[in-house]
Amino acid sequence: MTFSGIIVAAGSGSRAGGDKQWRDLGGRPVLRRCVEALLAAGAEEIVVVLAPGAEARALEVLSGLSGWRAAIGGSTRAASVRAGLAALACPPDQPVLIHDAARPLLPKAIVQRLLEALEMHDGAVPALPVTDSLRRGPAGTMEGVVDREGLWRAQTPQAFKRRVIEQAYAAWADEQAPADEAEVLQRYGGRVALVAGDPRLMKLTYPEDFAMAEALLPRQIRIGSGYDVHRWGPGGSVWLCGIEVPHDQTLIGHSDADAGLHALTDALLGAIADGDIGDHFPPTDPKWKGASSDRFLVHAAERVKARGGCIVNVDVTLICERPKVKPHRDAMRQRIADLLELPLDAVSVKATTTEGLGFTGRGEGLAAQAVATVDLPAST
């Protein structure tokens, strides 16, 4: 069954700290998640109802998505919904799903249940039974118990035939705004089905709700590896894993030639499939001449964070005959931990030799390899 969608995104979101529909959740804006969910469920068109002046922001966060258009909402939810209905291009008998922009984690199965319920009812609402015991206490002191039998927590999207919900709104004569569209339809005399909701379809109302929603996102563990080599040249010290180590030579490179941090930067970029260090900091660009490799590593960590990910642990191995790494290993671990904002026990730095074999054994250069583990939101 085909359907159209309305996403109500005109509110201020003040209880969540403001602008909750524009905030990132798992690396993607909340509003974008809502639009993507309805499109993935088969919506033929989506009207996104915005506050005045928010059109440019919507174009930015919904860049690359088609099948949606904007409408300007009113001072109440009911006014915004009516504006969304007026902006639809679908026929009068088309099912319309009206959704809160504050509920980004919409499973496709919910949409299917709603559409199936519309075959026998005038409207349908996803709902969860109230399982907690309820208390009445308007002054902060318990004054009674509320019977939870037959009580449900309503969610969105709520589904209706376009003509029916428009007629119900036209007949609404109460000065008090309705709680939602289901109340409007029920007051009009329509039959509203309750279908099984989903705890993941929570509403982002308070700041702490974002942490809860992040925990509900499907996750995946990614592992990236990095490898780097620099040759030895004249000098009096060498940079390794963010620490300057006294030595009778230095590593030669376009930046500070910190092979340890270069390998680790590539490991982080590899974990999120975001190219390599040369893509982000080309050695042909003179502005990176002599640059501290700290900047490269922090940039890679920010790229992970922008994807909604977090770094779980990192492991660096330095391969050389000299200098001795062990006396500086704890300082190296602490420096990397500080740069990546990780606990010390999530950072490993090791060193090994090649027993005199190869270019490292001959003292021609130093090699480093690194592995990084990243926890990311799943792509679907």
Side-chain angles (χ1 to χ4, degrees):
M1 186 184 296
T2 59
F3 71 95
S4 299
I6 296 173
I7 297 176
V8 185
S12 64
S14 57
R15 287 180 294 178
D19 288 349
K20 60 186 175 183
Q21 63 268 47
W22 310 110
R23 288 175 57 179
D24 271 4
L25 179 68
R28 303 210 300 278
V30 168
L31 177 59
R32 186 181 184 93
R33 285 187 174 275
C34 291
V35 174
E36 288 176 338
L38 285 179
L39 290 174
E44 286 191 332
E45 62 172 338
I46 297 174
V47 173
V48 180
V49 186
L50 303 167
E55 298 92 329
R57 200 168 187 182
L59 285 171
E60 179 183 353
V61 303
L62 301 178
S63 174
L65 298 179
S66 59
W68 69 276
R69 71 175 70 89
I72 303 304
S75 58
T76 65
R77 176 192 170 83
S80 293
V81 170
R82 297 182 79 163
L85 289 167
L88 290 173
C90 63
D93 61 344
Q94 174 104 320
V96 176
L97 270 59
I98 302 172
H99 190 42
D100 292 334
R103 297 183 188 268
L105 305 183
L106 172 59
K108 190 174 182 178
I110 294 284
V111 173
Q112 186 62 35
R113 289 174 205 153
L114 292 169
L115 296 177
E116 290 174 356
L118 275 189
E119 295 178 2
M120 300 294 294
H121 297 81
D122 302 308
V125 175
L128 296 172
V130 174
T131 56
D132 293 326
S133 62
L134 299 177
R135 300 292 185 269
R136 182 177 289 107
T141 302
M142 179 175 160
E143 296 182 4
V145 177
V146 178
D147 185 4
R148 68 183 183 219
E149 184 68 25
L151 294 182
W152 298 79
R153 293 189 290 129
Q155 300 179 312
T156 72
Q158 300 184 356
F160 314 91
K161 295 290 180 64
R162 180 183 180 181
R163 177 193 292 111
V164 174
I165 192 60
E166 287 179 332
Q167 290 172 345
Y169 261 116
W172 181 268
D174 198 329
E175 292 184 2
Q176 184 175 353
D180 57 14
E181 291 65 59
E183 182 184 5
V184 174
L185 181 60
Q186 187 181 38
R187 186 81 64 88
Y188 183 63
R191 295 176 63 246
V192 180
L194 296 177
V195 305
D198 193 306
R200 291 171 294 177
L201 195 50
M202 61 179 292
K203 185 176 183 181
L204 301 175
T205 303
Y206 301 103
E208 57 268 26
D209 292 338
F210 278 82
M212 179 75 74
E214 288 275 2
L216 292 173
L217 289 171
R219 311 287 296 186
Q220 58 182 315
I221 296 296
R222 299 276 199 91
I223 297 174
S225 66
Y227 181 77
D228 193 46
V229 171
H230 285 282
R231 61 185 175 86
W232 289 113
S237 64
V238 59
W239 284 94
L240 293 173
C241 294
I243 299 298
E244 188 173 17
V245 177
H247 191 45
D248 57 6
Q249 290 180 299
T250 193
L251 291 174
I252 305 302
H254 186 65
S255 61
D256 63 6
D258 189 330
L261 292 193
H262 291 181
L264 185 51
T265 298
D266 264 349
L268 290 175
L269 293 174
I272 59 173
D274 195 15
D276 59 33
I277 193 171
D279 295 325
H280 295 261
F281 305 97
T284 54
D285 191 335
K287 73 178 179 180
W288 304 120
K289 179 69 175 176
S292 170
S293 297
D294 292 4
R295 299 170 64 183
F296 307 159
L297 185 62
V298 169
H299 171 80
E302 289 173 346
R303 301 286 287 188
V304 172
K305 186 176 181 180
R307 290 274 300 276
C310 63
I311 302 168
V312 178
N313 75 296
V314 297
D315 181 19
V316 180
T317 301
L318 301 174
I319 306 166
C320 60
E321 302 294 327
R322 293 188 310 128
K324 294 298 182 182
V325 171
K326 188 173 182 178
H328 309 282
R329 185 169 58 192
D330 288 344
M332 293 175 181
R333 292 178 63 215
Q334 187 62 62
R335 180 59 180 155
I336 293 173
D338 291 343
L339 291 171
L340 298 181
E341 299 180 356
L342 289 175
L344 189 60
D345 65 0
V347 178
S348 170
V349 174
K350 310 188 301 293
T352 188
T353 71
T354 55
E355 301 292 338
L357 301 175
F359 71 90
T360 58
R362 294 190 297 269
E364 298 170 4
L366 177 146
Q369 62 184 28
V371 177
T373 307
V374 170
D375 182 6
L376 279 180
S379 56
T380 58

